[in-house]
Amino acid sequence: MTMYQEYTLRDGTIKTIKTVKGRSIKEEMKLLGISERDILSVQLLDKDSLKKAK
């Protein structure tokens, strides 16, 4: 099953990245260009939930 991390940022934007086994959250944040201070919440979603949310 494909899983995604959805980051809701303090400015109201949402960034989503596909989870990859062996990649840390720090690496994901670096790829998205965000820092810990930017994050308001994090959710783990499957592919079906991701489609319904948008």
Side-chain angles (χ1 to χ4, degrees):
M1 180 183 303
T2 305
M3 300 298 286
Y4 295 86
Q5 288 274 23
E6 182 178 85
Y7 294 87
T8 303
L9 307 181
R10 292 184 184 269
D11 65 3
T13 59
I14 296 174
K15 295 198 175 196
T16 306
I17 190 167
K18 183 177 177 181
T19 57
V20 175
K21 188 174 182 176
R23 183 166 59 191
S24 70
I25 292 175
K26 294 280 187 187
E27 291 172 322
E28 288 179 356
M29 290 190 310
K30 187 176 179 181
L31 288 171
L32 292 171
I34 59 175
S35 68
E36 288 182 42
R37 291 178 285 215
D38 299 326
I39 300 171
L40 183 61
S41 70
V42 180
Q43 293 183 6
L44 183 62
L45 303 171
D46 63 2
K47 191 175 182 179
D48 294 334
S49 297
L50 188 64
K51 287 180 183 177
K52 290 177 188 175
K54 295 186 177 188

